[in-house]
Amino acid sequence: MTTMAPAAGPSEEREQDVPASAELAVELDRVSAYYGSRRVVREISLPVRRNAITAIIGPSGCGKSTLLRCIDRMHELTPGARVEGRIDYHGMDLYAPDIDPVAVRRTIGMVFQQPNPFPTMSIHDNVAAPARFNGLLANKAAENELVERCLRQAALWDEVKDKLKAGGTSLSGGQQQRLCIARALALEPDVLLMDEPCSALDPIATLQIEHLMADLKRIYTIVIVTHNMQQASRVSDQTAFLTLGDDRAGFLVEMAETVEIFTNPKQQLTEDYVSGRFG
Amino acid sequence: MSRSASLAAERLRSTSSARRARERALEICAWASLVLALVPLVAIGIFLIGQGVRSLSLEFFTSDPPGDLSATGGGIRNAVVGTLMMTGLATLVAVPVGIALAVFSREIGGRVAAAVRFVVDVLAGLPSIVVGIFVYSLVVVATGHFSGYAGAVALAVIELPVIVVATDELLRLTDRRIDEGTRALGMLRWRSFLSVFIPTALSGIITGIMLAVSRAIGETAPLIFTALGNNFFTLDLNEPVQAMPLLIYRNALNSAFPAARDRAMGTALVLVVIVLGFNLAGRWIARRARPADQR
Amino acid sequence: MTPGSHAGGIRTLARRPGLSQDGWFRLALRGVALLVIVPILWMMVDTFSVTVPVWERFGIPGFVVGARWAPSFTIYGALPFIYGTILTSAIAMLIAVPVAVLIALLITEILPARARTAVAVTVDLLAAIPSVVYGLWGLLVLVPFLRPFEQAVAGTLGTVIPFLAGPTPGPSYFAAGVVVSIMIVPIIAALSREVFAATPRLQREAVRALGGTRWDVIRTVVLPIGRSGVLAAIILGLARAIGETIAVTMVIGNAPKIGASIFSPGFTLASVIANEFNEANQELHPEALIALGLVLLVISVLVNGLAILIRGRFARGVGRVA
């Protein structure tokens, strides 16, 4: 695994006062999400540990993806959608009025269920473009270095290094997804959100992504939403189990170390879900 | 034969004679309609080629028409150049404005955008002569004289709705996933449009532009009282300027004279070739792009 | 250097004072929209103000219903031209609508898939031909061609029905109607084609599974579902017919009165403006012509607006049309 060389860029934006041993990257505090007047996520409080993989599991439609999208302020893009509660990121509430949501999204990256590389850009440009647009690159050399670094981190470099100019959509599904991961990493996010990243992929590609996640967590913090319990038990360090309440809103049933959730859950609901009795 | 069997036989039998004859008749009518519609197309083609070709010569393209339309000789140089200049200028203005309006409609949305869209739709349906009147009031009266600029403005107004509608349709087809992808990366909106959405829609936009141009090149009515026409060659758009459709019109009004007839037909042939060229090229671009879009 | 060093730059998450870049973008877009729409609206207002003396002289109803058009006497009335517009459009629609709808059905329902695009494009080519070329061909070829037919009708039915009576000088409402019909067939056909192609596959198959023929499918499913869409297509064809100028002015005979029969020469709103504007130096003549333009504008906006409305209803009902 290559070490992260610092990318050229406005270094004055980087302070050294980030406590390297900070335990939590993000902390959700009684977060609720609404579509209009309808609440779909109910008062979820959830700590996300740094340099770990946190999995959010639960039956379909219980608001897992919605919750994830609250973290990088994507939920509010839907007309009428809003969020209540606090999401703490390094002591700041991401939903404070003086926070720029666009900036939040550059700091907290997201990978979607369906790979969505930019269709008119090459592999190289797909990775480089967002960084380029944000002025993080000083010159072409820095750009090439960034592209290689991110593609290596996404375990895609060896497969595409000879065809960086090929179209982003000329790759297989699994490769496209890794390309999207590389693209998200190019912005050097702190946290990477992954919304069912493997559900559109075949089993081999899925395994590749899971291996990738294990590597990535050494550098990044990852939150993954998955409906695949086996996947959650394979990759994650902590697991949060959500389910639909009687008010048709998702709520947090239980959250603990992954091993605990799957072998010794404290709640009956959790026990029922992980043993396959419902969901 | 049992009751159900005879009923079945009855039903099988009833798709015959009367019904089939009626349907055959309808089908014949449909084919006849197609032939009927294509006859003028072929007729015009024969007419133009048959009668127009003999007017074409080097002189036809390199000299200007005579002042007296009944006189033979001369050419259509000023008309060709005039058409190119005015249409070129009109397109140069209409394309960025049209794309901007479509982006506006997509990005801002809401009732304001709906109102703008409505104005554009109305503009699209306006008779081109009404457009000519508008531009006459706005430009010719204000500047005090007819000019190629006024003609270009009129053509731009005619091209604009075509480009807006084409661009809007294509932006509407933008994959939601790509849009979300740009937002999740924190890309600025103008950047997203410039680097992602518009390039993806590009070939469709080009088709729209080519169709708009092919329409503008053939327009006569709006030019009658804006550019007016000119017997002489000029590169100055501030003067009245000649255009091919105008030339055809004026010569056609004098078609009692064979020289004017021939001139009109030669010009018409050239005009149709150019217009159809743009039209077909635009469609070809659209067809080529489609398989990639259906991903 | 730790990644997410943006984390260190928490301050960069904060909003800058004033507009964000996205905010500027939106403002610029609004500016462009304003820059375009305002002059267009201004043009309309300006044009209207030019015509005020005409309304003052004749009154709005007086002008619209006035049947005399005599520039040398400073008498202006729009009726002959409104009549001509309605008559030529009616003739054009009568011919074009059945032809266009049948062609659309032929293309979407009967032709094999391979032939569809080629035939559709060929029909669409009719729409690409400039109006002035139609006028030229109409004048030199079609009008002489129609004359024997006109004379036959005038000689027979025309003796009983004055509306169809002679004389048949050639250029006439009828000739203009025929030329315009050729021009609007491709428009109605193209839009109807889209409407028919949008018929849900499920419905088609349902009819087939019940033993229906292709025409059963058309009768039971395609036409009923596509009803409002085709109506919108027809109205758009009408809008185009109303506004057709140059081709009409070259074959309609240019007589500023209400002709007695369809074979008489006449004028439409659009064609009279094109014809008389450049030599209009009598008193109030140009203003009156522009006033005619406004009448045409109003009619056109109403018809187009109707088409947009109906199209919207169709789109909501089935799914997208163009």
Side-chain angles (χ1 to χ4, degrees), chain C residues 232-279:
Chain C
I234 292 176
I235 295 183
L236 275 171
L238 176 64
R240 177 74 195 271
I242 290 176
E244 195 37 65
T245 313
I246 291 297
V248 169
T249 195
M250 289 163 90
V251 303
I252 199 169
N254 303 341
K257 56 193 200 322
I258 301 178
S261 102
I262 62 174
F263 300 128
S264 315
F267 256 135
T268 62
L269 285 169
S271 68
V272 68
I273 301 174
N275 192 269
E276 295 193 357
F277 199 84
N278 283 331
E279 279 112 29

Short mmCIF file of all heavy atoms in Angstrom, two decimals, chain C residues 232-279:
data_model
loop_
_atom_site.label_atom_id
_atom_site.label_comp_id
_atom_site.label_asym_id
_atom_site.label_seq_id
_atom_site.Cartn_x
_atom_site.Cartn_y
_atom_site.Cartn_z
N ALA C 232 -53.39 17.46 -30.53
CA ALA C 232 -52.36 18.49 -30.38
C ALA C 232 -51.56 18.63 -31.67
O ALA C 232 -51.25 19.74 -32.11
CB ALA C 232 -51.44 18.15 -29.22
N ALA C 233 -51.24 17.50 -32.30
CA ALA C 233 -50.48 17.53 -33.55
C ALA C 233 -51.27 18.28 -34.62
O ALA C 233 -50.73 19.10 -35.36
CB ALA C 233 -50.18 16.11 -34.02
N ILE C 234 -52.56 18.00 -34.68
CA ILE C 234 -53.40 18.66 -35.67
C ILE C 234 -53.45 20.16 -35.44
O ILE C 234 -53.34 20.97 -36.37
CB ILE C 234 -54.83 18.07 -35.64
CG1 ILE C 234 -54.80 16.62 -36.15
CG2 ILE C 234 -55.77 18.90 -36.48
CD1 ILE C 234 -56.13 15.94 -36.07
N ILE C 235 -53.58 20.55 -34.19
CA ILE C 235 -53.66 21.97 -33.90
C ILE C 235 -52.34 22.67 -34.21
O ILE C 235 -52.33 23.81 -34.68
CB ILE C 235 -54.08 22.19 -32.43
CG1 ILE C 235 -55.48 21.65 -32.25
CG2 ILE C 235 -54.01 23.66 -32.06
CD1 ILE C 235 -56.06 21.86 -30.89
N LEU C 236 -51.23 21.97 -33.98
CA LEU C 236 -49.96 22.57 -34.35
C LEU C 236 -49.84 22.71 -35.85
O LEU C 236 -49.28 23.69 -36.35
CB LEU C 236 -48.80 21.73 -33.82
CG LEU C 236 -48.44 22.07 -32.38
CD1 LEU C 236 -47.45 21.08 -31.83
CD2 LEU C 236 -47.88 23.47 -32.32
N GLY C 237 -50.39 21.76 -36.59
CA GLY C 237 -50.42 21.88 -38.03
C GLY C 237 -51.24 23.10 -38.44
O GLY C 237 -50.86 23.87 -39.33
N LEU C 238 -52.36 23.27 -37.74
CA LEU C 238 -53.21 24.43 -38.01
C LEU C 238 -52.45 25.72 -37.75
O LEU C 238 -52.50 26.66 -38.54
CB LEU C 238 -54.46 24.37 -37.13
CG LEU C 238 -55.40 25.57 -37.24
CD1 LEU C 238 -55.99 25.65 -38.64
CD2 LEU C 238 -56.52 25.46 -36.21
N ALA C 239 -51.71 25.74 -36.65
CA ALA C 239 -50.94 26.94 -36.32
C ALA C 239 -49.97 27.27 -37.43
O ALA C 239 -49.78 28.43 -37.79
CB ALA C 239 -50.20 26.74 -35.00
N ARG C 240 -49.33 26.24 -37.96
CA ARG C 240 -48.40 26.46 -39.04
C ARG C 240 -49.12 26.95 -40.30
O ARG C 240 -48.65 27.85 -40.99
CB ARG C 240 -47.66 25.15 -39.31
CG ARG C 240 -46.71 25.17 -40.45
CD ARG C 240 -45.44 25.93 -40.13
NE ARG C 240 -44.73 26.20 -41.39
CZ ARG C 240 -43.85 25.38 -41.94
NH1 ARG C 240 -43.55 24.26 -41.34
NH2 ARG C 240 -43.28 25.70 -43.08
N ALA C 241 -50.29 26.38 -40.54
CA ALA C 241 -51.04 26.77 -41.74
C ALA C 241 -51.45 28.23 -41.67
O ALA C 241 -51.40 28.95 -42.67
CB ALA C 241 -52.27 25.88 -41.89
N ILE C 242 -51.83 28.64 -40.48
CA ILE C 242 -52.29 30.02 -40.31
C ILE C 242 -51.16 31.00 -40.60
O ILE C 242 -51.36 32.05 -41.18
CB ILE C 242 -52.80 30.24 -38.87
CG1 ILE C 242 -54.10 29.49 -38.68
CG2 ILE C 242 -52.97 31.70 -38.56
CD1 ILE C 242 -54.62 29.57 -37.27
N GLY C 243 -49.96 30.61 -40.20
CA GLY C 243 -48.86 31.55 -40.31
C GLY C 243 -48.10 31.49 -41.63
O GLY C 243 -47.23 32.30 -41.89
N GLU C 244 -48.45 30.53 -42.45
CA GLU C 244 -47.70 30.36 -43.70
C GLU C 244 -47.84 31.60 -44.57
O GLU C 244 -48.94 32.07 -44.84
CB GLU C 244 -48.24 29.13 -44.42
CG GLU C 244 -47.37 28.61 -45.52
CD GLU C 244 -45.91 28.72 -45.21
OE1 GLU C 244 -45.45 28.05 -44.27
OE2 GLU C 244 -45.21 29.52 -45.88
N THR C 245 -46.73 32.14 -44.97
CA THR C 245 -46.75 33.43 -45.64
C THR C 245 -46.34 33.38 -47.11
O THR C 245 -47.12 33.69 -47.99
CB THR C 245 -45.79 34.41 -44.93
OG1 THR C 245 -46.01 34.35 -43.55
CG2 THR C 245 -45.99 35.81 -45.44
N ILE C 246 -45.11 33.03 -47.33
CA ILE C 246 -44.53 33.24 -48.65
C ILE C 246 -45.14 32.32 -49.70
O ILE C 246 -45.49 32.77 -50.79
CB ILE C 246 -43.00 33.05 -48.57
CG1 ILE C 246 -42.40 34.18 -47.77
CG2 ILE C 246 -42.40 33.02 -49.95
CD1 ILE C 246 -42.60 35.54 -48.39
N ALA C 247 -45.27 31.06 -49.36
CA ALA C 247 -45.85 30.14 -50.33
C ALA C 247 -47.27 30.59 -50.68
O ALA C 247 -47.68 30.56 -51.84
CB ALA C 247 -45.87 28.72 -49.77
N VAL C 248 -47.98 31.04 -49.68
CA VAL C 248 -49.36 31.49 -49.90
C VAL C 248 -49.38 32.72 -50.81
O VAL C 248 -50.14 32.79 -51.78
CB VAL C 248 -50.05 31.80 -48.57
CG1 VAL C 248 -51.36 32.52 -48.81
CG2 VAL C 248 -50.27 30.53 -47.78
N THR C 249 -48.52 33.67 -50.52
CA THR C 249 -48.60 34.91 -51.26
C THR C 249 -48.25 34.72 -52.73
O THR C 249 -48.63 35.52 -53.58
CB THR C 249 -47.72 36.00 -50.62
OG1 THR C 249 -48.09 37.27 -51.14
CG2 THR C 249 -46.27 35.79 -50.92
N MET C 250 -47.54 33.62 -53.02
CA MET C 250 -47.18 33.42 -54.40
C MET C 250 -48.25 32.69 -55.19
O MET C 250 -48.21 32.67 -56.42
CB MET C 250 -45.85 32.63 -54.47
CG MET C 250 -44.67 33.47 -54.03
SD MET C 250 -43.22 32.50 -53.62
CE MET C 250 -42.41 32.41 -55.19
N VAL C 251 -49.21 32.11 -54.53
CA VAL C 251 -50.23 31.36 -55.28
C VAL C 251 -51.65 31.76 -54.97
O VAL C 251 -52.58 31.11 -55.44
CB VAL C 251 -50.09 29.83 -55.07
CG1 VAL C 251 -48.73 29.34 -55.46
CG2 VAL C 251 -50.43 29.45 -53.66
N ILE C 252 -51.85 32.80 -54.18
CA ILE C 252 -53.22 33.07 -53.79
C ILE C 252 -53.87 34.17 -54.61
O ILE C 252 -55.07 34.44 -54.49
CB ILE C 252 -53.31 33.41 -52.28
CG1 ILE C 252 -54.75 33.22 -51.80
CG2 ILE C 252 -52.82 34.82 -52.02
CD1 ILE C 252 -54.89 33.28 -50.32
N GLY C 253 -53.11 34.84 -55.44
CA GLY C 253 -53.76 35.77 -56.35
C GLY C 253 -53.85 37.20 -55.86
O GLY C 253 -54.08 38.12 -56.64
N ASN C 254 -53.64 37.41 -54.59
CA ASN C 254 -53.50 38.76 -54.06
C ASN C 254 -54.63 39.71 -54.41
O ASN C 254 -54.45 40.73 -55.07
CB ASN C 254 -52.16 39.36 -54.52
CG ASN C 254 -51.00 38.48 -54.09
OD1 ASN C 254 -51.13 37.67 -53.19
ND2 ASN C 254 -49.88 38.63 -54.76
N ALA C 255 -55.82 39.37 -53.98
CA ALA C 255 -56.96 40.27 -54.16
C ALA C 255 -57.53 40.61 -52.81
O ALA C 255 -58.02 39.74 -52.11
CB ALA C 255 -58.03 39.59 -55.02
N PRO C 256 -57.48 41.89 -52.42
CA PRO C 256 -57.87 42.25 -51.06
C PRO C 256 -59.37 42.34 -50.88
O PRO C 256 -59.91 43.36 -50.47
CB PRO C 256 -57.20 43.61 -50.86
CG PRO C 256 -57.14 44.20 -52.22
CD PRO C 256 -56.95 43.05 -53.18
N LYS C 257 -60.08 41.28 -51.19
CA LYS C 257 -61.50 41.28 -50.91
C LYS C 257 -61.93 39.86 -50.62
O LYS C 257 -61.16 38.92 -50.78
CB LYS C 257 -62.27 41.88 -52.08
CG LYS C 257 -62.02 41.18 -53.40
CD LYS C 257 -62.60 42.07 -54.49
CE LYS C 257 -62.89 41.41 -55.77
NZ LYS C 257 -62.22 40.46 -56.44
N ILE C 258 -63.16 39.73 -50.21
CA ILE C 258 -63.66 38.40 -49.91
C ILE C 258 -64.14 37.76 -51.19
O ILE C 258 -65.16 38.13 -51.76
CB ILE C 258 -64.81 38.47 -48.89
CG1 ILE C 258 -64.32 39.14 -47.61
CG2 ILE C 258 -65.35 37.09 -48.59
CD1 ILE C 258 -65.39 39.30 -46.56
N GLY C 259 -63.36 36.78 -51.64
CA GLY C 259 -63.73 36.16 -52.89
C GLY C 259 -65.01 35.36 -52.76
O GLY C 259 -65.34 34.84 -51.70
N ALA C 260 -65.70 35.23 -53.87
CA ALA C 260 -67.00 34.56 -53.82
C ALA C 260 -66.87 33.06 -53.75
O ALA C 260 -67.70 32.38 -53.16
CB ALA C 260 -67.83 34.96 -55.04
N SER C 261 -65.83 32.53 -54.36
CA SER C 261 -65.70 31.07 -54.34
C SER C 261 -64.28 30.69 -53.94
O SER C 261 -63.41 31.54 -53.82
CB SER C 261 -66.04 30.48 -55.72
OG SER C 261 -64.86 30.16 -56.42
N ILE C 262 -64.07 29.41 -53.76
CA ILE C 262 -62.72 29.01 -53.35
C ILE C 262 -61.75 29.12 -54.51
O ILE C 262 -60.54 29.04 -54.33
CB ILE C 262 -62.68 27.58 -52.77
CG1 ILE C 262 -63.10 26.57 -53.83
CG2 ILE C 262 -63.56 27.47 -51.56
CD1 ILE C 262 -62.92 25.14 -53.35
N PHE C 263 -62.27 29.27 -55.69
CA PHE C 263 -61.38 29.40 -56.83
C PHE C 263 -61.07 30.85 -57.15
O PHE C 263 -60.43 31.16 -58.14
CB PHE C 263 -61.99 28.71 -58.06
CG PHE C 263 -62.23 27.24 -57.85
CD1 PHE C 263 -63.48 26.69 -58.11
CD2 PHE C 263 -61.23 26.42 -57.38
CE1 PHE C 263 -63.71 25.34 -57.92
CE2 PHE C 263 -61.45 25.07 -57.18
CZ PHE C 263 -62.70 24.52 -57.45
N SER C 264 -61.57 31.75 -56.33
CA SER C 264 -61.27 33.16 -56.53
C SER C 264 -59.93 33.49 -55.90
O SER C 264 -59.49 32.83 -54.97
CB SER C 264 -62.32 34.04 -55.87
OG SER C 264 -63.61 33.59 -56.12
N PRO C 265 -59.30 34.54 -56.40
CA PRO C 265 -58.09 34.99 -55.72
C PRO C 265 -58.44 35.70 -54.42
O PRO C 265 -59.58 36.14 -54.24
CB PRO C 265 -57.47 35.97 -56.73
CG PRO C 265 -58.63 36.46 -57.52
CD PRO C 265 -59.63 35.35 -57.57
N GLY C 266 -57.48 35.78 -53.53
CA GLY C 266 -57.76 36.42 -52.24
C GLY C 266 -56.46 36.77 -51.55
O GLY C 266 -55.42 36.99 -52.20
N PHE C 267 -56.52 36.84 -50.24
CA PHE C 267 -55.35 37.16 -49.42
C PHE C 267 -55.52 36.47 -48.08
O PHE C 267 -56.63 36.23 -47.63
CB PHE C 267 -55.32 38.67 -49.15
CG PHE C 267 -54.30 39.43 -49.95
CD1 PHE C 267 -54.68 40.63 -50.56
CD2 PHE C 267 -53.01 39.00 -50.06
CE1 PHE C 267 -53.74 41.37 -51.29
CE2 PHE C 267 -52.07 39.74 -50.79
CZ PHE C 267 -52.46 40.92 -51.41
N THR C 268 -54.42 36.21 -47.41
CA THR C 268 -54.52 35.85 -46.00
C THR C 268 -53.85 36.96 -45.20
O THR C 268 -53.18 37.82 -45.74
CB THR C 268 -53.82 34.52 -45.68
OG1 THR C 268 -52.42 34.67 -45.95
CG2 THR C 268 -54.38 33.38 -46.49
N LEU C 269 -54.03 36.90 -43.88
CA LEU C 269 -53.41 37.90 -43.02
C LEU C 269 -51.91 37.97 -43.26
O LEU C 269 -51.33 39.04 -43.45
CB LEU C 269 -53.67 37.56 -41.55
CG LEU C 269 -55.08 37.83 -41.05
CD1 LEU C 269 -55.29 37.20 -39.69
CD2 LEU C 269 -55.35 39.33 -40.97
N ALA C 270 -51.29 36.80 -43.30
CA ALA C 270 -49.84 36.78 -43.44
C ALA C 270 -49.43 37.23 -44.83
O ALA C 270 -48.49 38.01 -44.98
CB ALA C 270 -49.32 35.36 -43.18
N SER C 271 -50.15 36.79 -45.85
CA SER C 271 -49.67 37.06 -47.21
C SER C 271 -49.85 38.52 -47.59
O SER C 271 -49.06 39.07 -48.35
CB SER C 271 -50.36 36.15 -48.21
OG SER C 271 -51.73 36.48 -48.31
N VAL C 272 -50.88 39.18 -47.08
CA VAL C 272 -51.06 40.57 -47.47
C VAL C 272 -49.96 41.46 -46.89
O VAL C 272 -49.48 42.39 -47.54
CB VAL C 272 -52.46 41.10 -47.05
CG1 VAL C 272 -52.58 41.19 -45.53
CG2 VAL C 272 -52.73 42.46 -47.65
N ILE C 273 -49.54 41.10 -45.68
CA ILE C 273 -48.45 41.88 -45.08
C ILE C 273 -47.20 41.76 -45.93
O ILE C 273 -46.55 42.76 -46.26
CB ILE C 273 -48.16 41.40 -43.65
CG1 ILE C 273 -49.41 41.53 -42.78
CG2 ILE C 273 -47.02 42.20 -43.05
CD1 ILE C 273 -49.24 40.94 -41.41
N ALA C 274 -46.86 40.54 -46.29
CA ALA C 274 -45.66 40.33 -47.10
C ALA C 274 -45.78 41.05 -48.43
O ALA C 274 -44.83 41.63 -48.93
CB ALA C 274 -45.45 38.84 -47.33
N ASN C 275 -46.98 41.04 -48.97
CA ASN C 275 -47.16 41.57 -50.31
C ASN C 275 -47.13 43.09 -50.36
O ASN C 275 -46.58 43.69 -51.27
CB ASN C 275 -48.49 41.04 -50.85
CG ASN C 275 -48.64 41.29 -52.33
OD1 ASN C 275 -49.18 42.32 -52.73
ND2 ASN C 275 -48.13 40.38 -53.14
N GLU C 276 -47.80 43.72 -49.40
CA GLU C 276 -48.00 45.15 -49.53
C GLU C 276 -47.02 45.99 -48.72
O GLU C 276 -46.94 47.20 -48.92
CB GLU C 276 -49.44 45.51 -49.10
CG GLU C 276 -50.48 44.93 -50.03
CD GLU C 276 -51.85 45.53 -49.79
OE1 GLU C 276 -51.98 46.36 -48.86
OE2 GLU C 276 -52.78 45.19 -50.52
N PHE C 277 -46.28 45.36 -47.78
CA PHE C 277 -45.55 46.19 -46.83
C PHE C 277 -44.53 47.10 -47.47
O PHE C 277 -44.40 48.27 -47.11
CB PHE C 277 -44.87 45.29 -45.79
CG PHE C 277 -44.50 46.03 -44.55
CD1 PHE C 277 -45.44 46.23 -43.56
CD2 PHE C 277 -43.23 46.56 -44.39
CE1 PHE C 277 -45.12 46.92 -42.41
CE2 PHE C 277 -42.90 47.25 -43.24
CZ PHE C 277 -43.85 47.44 -42.25
N ASN C 278 -43.79 46.58 -48.41
CA ASN C 278 -42.68 47.38 -48.92
C ASN C 278 -43.13 48.54 -49.80
O ASN C 278 -42.39 49.47 -50.02
CB ASN C 278 -41.70 46.49 -49.68
CG ASN C 278 -40.84 45.71 -48.73
OD1 ASN C 278 -40.56 46.17 -47.63
ND2 ASN C 278 -40.43 44.53 -49.13
N GLU C 279 -44.36 48.49 -50.29
CA GLU C 279 -44.85 49.62 -51.08
C GLU C 279 -45.94 50.37 -50.36
O GLU C 279 -46.74 51.06 -50.98
CB GLU C 279 -45.37 49.14 -52.43
CG GLU C 279 -44.25 48.93 -53.44
CD GLU C 279 -44.13 47.44 -53.75
OE1 GLU C 279 -45.14 46.72 -53.66
OE2 GLU C 279 -43.03 47.00 -54.05
#
